[in-house]
């Protein structure tokens, strides 16, 4: 099925803008980590437009209209979204669509994700689905938009053409997106000269112009890495003079932070095998006085060199401080950049490097078993609940009775050891009197016997006991990790800091499932995000030792558990269980990579805290 509404015929004036009396629907969008433009809701777009009318150089506080967007601010001058708690900045753009399209009617198409929540489609996809729906097509193929999905309107479902998996689909009526008529509002960000259109020659303007070049050079280097844009559609043969085929969405904001200078050095030659440049690459200078908000996309590109254009004395502020561990430094860096921009002072916002998560591709013939570690895979199945052991018997196995307890507090119930347990009247066990006190065999810490029975009954009930004071483990501790598979092998690449050794790659894979009786919400579905997860160890003596203990921890179901994600806040999902792994292969930008001289020692200590050590494994 062809994509509905591929292009419309619209006369344009000399500046490349539609006529003044053409109405357009405005949709503000932000660029996510997958280089896809995601639309803000209609309510947020109305709020941004209202702020834009009052101050085209100001900032938009998104939390004023959407409680979920409290940390976010949009800087209209640099056209970037800024997150205050992390310092992360993302480009935003102002997009225009036909008033008769889905956003103009307030129609939103959404798909159901694994957690049961509804996610809106990208705006171009939403418009395409709505066009097909209005024409009463029974189905729609999204492959022309780069997605291997089929939309079935009769069953209101989306099907993956490769996996044949289906998801529910829904059409929802919402607030219509804002409508604008006439030319785009101007927001002059930088001082310019008189009516001649030429910038003045004062020292501040010269410094400002050099800063523009530096900022655009950095962003231009990022654009060169992006795939080339498709060529613009050509008008049909014999079409009327003075018309141009225009796509339904015309973007008027995006990549550059400021206007580029009138001219720049030529681009370097492309390396062999590089992708060809987009046919819409600029061939002339931009219109003087225009900034991101009112400049067409083709005029925003620049071809100056990133390193050569940065003027001396201009501070470089990172968009994200990846060397720090907390949110203070990146937030200060981003906010400082916005404040300096608003004041017209020179600042160069640099792009944070992307982490190298995976090694170069490896052929199957290059993948080898890890020396000294038998096999290449371990699987865990659903836990078969054995006949529960009597909690009293488990506790008595590891304790020695104390006839004359000292005058100290029991650290479980906080009552004196010489008095009855605080669980008296709450928990009753035959043969366990509230005043009985015992001492754990190895560590010697003393507790009420009834208190330890209560603690064991509230745990995993796997036959092991952990001292609440020193965390010493008695017996073999097991966890609540869901069923899954662990693979491990050797790859012919080196980790940073281990140049002379190959790398052990561990691959964990856990599917979505239903929680068992040992989990927080038995019978409820749990999600498994980000699987398969790849982790890395150096192939040296200590690295292989860590691998052997990780295999033991996996078999005891200690690597993962079901809980609430610290990253996303999602509950009933698979999360790490206090044993840290290195998931970043070629860098350490997130703190989960190499080089890290103390990691192997730290993870050995974490494994020991879970009762996994070579001494215990050999016993």
């Amino acid at each position: 099925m062809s994509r509905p509404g591929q292009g419309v015929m619209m006369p344009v004036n000399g500046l490349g803008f539609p006529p003044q009396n053409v109405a357009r629907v405005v949709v503000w969008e932000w660029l996510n980590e997958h280089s896809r433009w995601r639309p803000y809701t209609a309510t947020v777009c109305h709020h941004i437009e209202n702020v834009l009318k009052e101050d085209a150089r100001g900032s938009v506080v998104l939390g004023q209209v959407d409680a979920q967007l409290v940390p976010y601010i949009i800087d209209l001058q640099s056209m970037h979204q800024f997150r205050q708690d992390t310092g992360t900045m993302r480009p935003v753009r102002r997009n225009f669509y036909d008033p008769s399209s889905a956003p103009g009617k307030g129609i939103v198409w959404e798909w159901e994700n694994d957690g049961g929540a509804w996610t809106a489609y990208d705006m171009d996809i939403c418009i395409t689905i709505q066009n097909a729906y209005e024409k009463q097509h029974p189905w729609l193929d999204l492959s022309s938009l780069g997605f291997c999905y089929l939309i079935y309107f009769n069953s209101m479902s989306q099907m993956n053409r490769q996996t044949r998996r289906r998801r529910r689909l829904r059409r929802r009526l919402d607030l219509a997106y804002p409508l604008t008529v006439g030319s785009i509002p101007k927001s002059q960000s930088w001082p310019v000269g008189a009516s001649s259109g030429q910038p003045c020659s004062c020292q501040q303007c010269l410094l400002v112009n050099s800063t523009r070049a530096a900022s655009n050079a950095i962003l231009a280097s990022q654009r060169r890495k992006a795939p080339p844009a498709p060529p613009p559609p050509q008008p049909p043969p014999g079409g009327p003079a003075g018309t141009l085929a225009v796509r339904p969405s015309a973007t008027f904001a995006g990549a550059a932070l400021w206007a580029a200078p009138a001219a720049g050095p030529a681009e370097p030659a492309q390396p062999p095998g590089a992708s060809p440049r987009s046919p819409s690459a600029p061939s002339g200078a931009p219109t003087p006085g225009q900034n991101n908000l009112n400049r067409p996309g083709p005029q925003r590109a620049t071809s100056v060199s990133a390193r050569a254009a940065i003027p001396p004395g201009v501070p470089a502020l990172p968009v994200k401080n990846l060397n720090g561990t907390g949110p203070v430094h990146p937030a200060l860096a981003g906010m400082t950049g916005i404040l300096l921009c608003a004041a017209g002072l020179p600042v160069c916002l640099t792009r944070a490097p992307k982490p190298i998560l995976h090694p170069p591709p490896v052929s199957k013939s290059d993948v080898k078993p890890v020396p000294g570690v038998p096999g290449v895979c371990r699987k865990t199945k659903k836990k078969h609940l054995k006949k529960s052991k009597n909690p009293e018997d488990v506790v008595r196995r590891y304790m020695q009775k104390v006839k004359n307890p000292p005058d100290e507090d029991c650290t479980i119930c906080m009552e004196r050891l010489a008095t009855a347990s605080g669980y008296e009247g709450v928990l009753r066990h035959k043969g366990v009197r509230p005043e009985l006190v015992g001492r754990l065999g190895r560590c010697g810490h003393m507790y009420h016997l009834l208190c330890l029975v209560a603690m064991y009954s509230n745990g995993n009930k796997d036959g092991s006991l952990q001292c609440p004071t020193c965390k010493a483990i008695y017996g073999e501790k097991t966890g609540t990790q869901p069923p899954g598979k662990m693979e491990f092998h050797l790859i012919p690449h080196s980790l940073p800091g281990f140049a002379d050794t190959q790398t052990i790659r561990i691959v964990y894979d856990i599917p979505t499932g239903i929680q068992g009786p040992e989990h927080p919400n038995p019978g409820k579905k749990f999600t498994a995000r980000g699987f398969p997860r790849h982790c890395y160890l150096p192939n040296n003596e200590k690295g292989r030792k860590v691998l052997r203990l990780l295999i033991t921890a996996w078999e005891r179901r200690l690597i993962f558990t079901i809980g609430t994600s610290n990253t996303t806040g999602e509950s009933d999902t698979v999360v790490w269980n206090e044993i840290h792994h290195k998931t970043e292969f070629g860098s350490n930008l997130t703190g989960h990579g190499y080089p890290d001289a103390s990691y192997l020692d730290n993870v050995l200590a974490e494994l020991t805290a879970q009762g996994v050590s070579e001494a215990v494994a050999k016993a």
Side-chain angles (χ1 to χ4, degrees):
M1 175 181 296
S2 62
R3 177 182 174 184
Q6 185 64 28
V8 294
M9 301 300 296
M10 181 182 296
V12 296
N13 56 21
L15 294 177
F17 295 99
Q20 298 285 330
N21 58 351
V22 175
R24 292 158 294 176
V25 173
V26 179
V27 178
W28 285 81
E29 299 168 315
W30 57 277
L31 189 66
N32 69 7
E33 62 273 14
H34 304 296
S35 299
R36 289 171 52 192
W37 289 100
R38 301 289 297 145
Y40 292 100
T41 63
T43 303
V44 173
C45 289
H46 277 280
H47 178 58
I48 299 174
E49 287 293 302
N50 291 335
V51 176
L52 179 64
K53 293 175 183 177
E54 297 178 1
D55 183 7
R57 296 179 55 182
S59 298
V60 185
V61 181
L62 301 185
Q64 293 178 349
V65 292
D66 191 337
Q68 294 181 342
L69 303 180
V70 168
Y72 297 97
I73 294 176
I74 291 180
D75 178 47
L76 294 176
Q77 180 171 346
S78 64
M79 291 299 287
H80 275 72
Q81 169 191 279
F82 170 66
R83 178 164 179 165
Q84 300 175 78
D85 54 350
T86 64
T88 304
M89 299 183 74
R90 298 184 184 276
V92 299
R93 70 180 186 181
R94 191 173 185 239
N95 226 0
F96 300 93
Y97 298 91
D98 191 282
S100 63
S101 61
K105 299 177 180 178
I107 297 174
V108 180
W109 285 87
E110 300 172 321
W111 56 275
E112 187 180 28
N113 61 27
D114 292 335
W118 292 94
T119 304
Y121 285 96
D122 298 349
M123 191 54 68
D124 283 342
I125 300 177
C126 179
I127 291 174
T128 302
I129 296 175
Q130 177 62 22
N131 287 344
Y133 178 82
E134 292 176 352
K135 294 178 180 180
Q136 298 183 349
H137 292 302
W139 56 274
L140 173 66
D141 188 352
L142 296 180
S143 59
S144 61
L145 299 179
F147 298 92
C148 58
Y149 296 108
L150 290 172
I151 303 295
Y152 294 99
F153 294 108
N154 293 335
S155 60
M156 290 297 284
S157 63
Q158 166 193 285
M159 186 185 74
N160 188 311
R161 300 179 64 179
Q162 296 179 350
T163 64
R164 316 302 293 179
R165 181 180 181 183
R166 287 180 178 264
R167 295 180 183 271
R168 288 200 299 166
L169 183 74
R170 78 175 182 181
R171 177 178 180 265
R172 182 172 59 85
L173 290 178
D174 198 359
L175 179 69
Y177 280 81
L179 196 68
T180 185
V181 179
S183 60
I184 303 169
K186 293 185 177 181
S187 65
Q188 184 57 54
S189 302
W190 299 98
V192 295
S195 59
S196 62
Q198 297 297 327
C200 68
S201 58
C202 69
Q203 292 299 319
Q204 179 170 346
C205 285
L206 291 176
L207 185 57
V208 163
N209 287 332
S210 63
T211 307
R212 295 179 192 172
S215 305
N216 282 289
I218 295 169
L219 295 170
S221 65
Q222 299 292 327
R223 284 196 300 272
R224 295 191 191 104
K225 300 176 182 178
Q234 299 297 325
T243 62
L244 178 65
V246 181
R247 294 183 59 163
S249 65
T251 304
F252 284 84
L257 289 175
W258 300 285
E267 273 191 46
Q270 298 186 56
S275 301
R277 293 282 183 255
S278 168
S280 60
S283 58
T287 305
Q290 289 184 337
N291 71 348
N292 277 334
L293 202 59
N294 54 15
R295 185 183 311 114
Q299 293 183 2
R300 289 194 305 268
T302 182
S303 58
V304 292
S305 171
R307 296 184 180 274
I310 299 179
V314 176
L317 293 179
V319 170
K320 193 171 184 181
N321 179 18
L322 295 169
N323 294 324
T325 56
V328 176
H329 293 302
L332 286 177
M335 184 60 74
T336 303
I338 287 180
L339 293 176
L340 289 174
C341 291
L345 298 176
V347 61
C348 175
L349 296 178
T350 62
R351 294 286 183 180
K354 292 184 178 180
I356 303 174
L357 299 178
H358 302 291
V362 179
S363 63
K364 290 185 178 180
S365 60
D366 291 332
V367 175
K368 306 294 183 183
V370 180
V373 180
V376 294
C377 180
R378 296 289 191 277
K379 293 183 179 180
T380 56
K381 300 180 180 179
K382 288 186 178 180
K383 183 178 181 180
H384 299 287
L385 294 178
K386 301 178 181 178
K387 186 177 180 179
S388 298
K389 298 179 180 179
N390 189 334
E392 178 188 347
D393 294 339
V394 174
V395 172
R396 288 183 182 275
R397 182 190 311 165
Y398 305 118
M399 295 197 71
Q400 301 169 356
K401 186 177 178 180
V402 177
K403 293 183 178 180
N404 299 311
D407 188 22
E408 297 176 358
D409 286 340
C410 171
T411 56
I412 298 178
C413 69
M414 301 309 295
E415 299 288 345
R416 306 299 287 183
L417 289 172
T419 62
S421 167
Y423 283 92
E424 182 182 14
V426 179
L427 190 67
R428 293 183 180 178
H429 274 269
K430 294 181 180 180
V432 181
R433 299 195 306 273
E435 65 273 11
L436 287 179
V437 175
R439 177 189 292 108
L440 289 172
R442 291 203 311 271
C443 64
H445 291 110
M446 289 181 283
Y447 307 94
H448 289 115
L449 188 62
L450 189 62
C451 291
L452 283 176
V453 170
M455 184 186 73
Y456 177 84
S457 299
N458 290 328
N460 199 27
K461 296 186 284 291
D462 58 356
S464 69
L465 193 67
Q466 187 167 18
C467 175
T469 301
C470 65
K471 306 303 179 184
I473 295 175
Y474 295 82
E476 183 179 294
K477 179 182 178 181
T478 60
T480 60
Q481 176 180 287
K485 181 173 66 173
M486 173 188 184
E487 296 180 348
F488 42 90
H489 48 254
L490 213 58
I491 59 175
H493 298 291
S494 299
L495 294 166
F498 299 92
D500 299 329
T501 61
Q502 293 182 321
T503 299
I504 300 170
R505 178 166 60 186
I506 306 172
V507 182
Y508 296 111
D509 196 5
I510 295 178
T512 299
I514 303 298
Q515 298 183 50
E518 73 274 24
H519 294 136
N521 297 297
K524 185 178 179 181
K525 181 181 179 180
F526 69 85
T527 59
R529 310 291 185 191
F531 287 94
R533 300 188 185 182
H534 293 229
C535 309
Y536 304 96
L537 293 168
N539 181 34
N540 54 23
E541 182 178 352
K542 188 174 289 187
R544 290 188 292 272
K545 175 181 178 181
V546 170
L547 174 61
R548 288 191 293 268
L549 296 180
L550 287 176
I551 294 173
T552 301
W554 170 265
E555 293 172 339
R556 296 182 185 177
R557 305 174 70 203
L558 295 170
I559 301 292
F560 296 96
T561 187
I562 293 178
T564 301
S565 171
N566 292 329
T567 305
T568 64
E570 181 182 11
S571 58
D572 298 307
T573 189
V574 179
V575 296
W576 295 105
N577 187 33
E578 300 181 0
I579 300 176
H580 287 83
H581 286 65
K582 291 296 188 181
T583 56
E584 192 176 343
F585 173 80
S587 55
N588 195 18
L589 300 180
T590 63
H592 302 297
Y594 295 92
D596 186 344
S598 59
Y599 167 68
L600 295 177
D601 292 326
N602 290 341
V603 73
L604 286 173
E606 292 172 346
L607 286 163
T608 301
Q610 297 286 343
V612 181
S613 63
E614 283 193 326
V616 174
K618 292 177 181 178

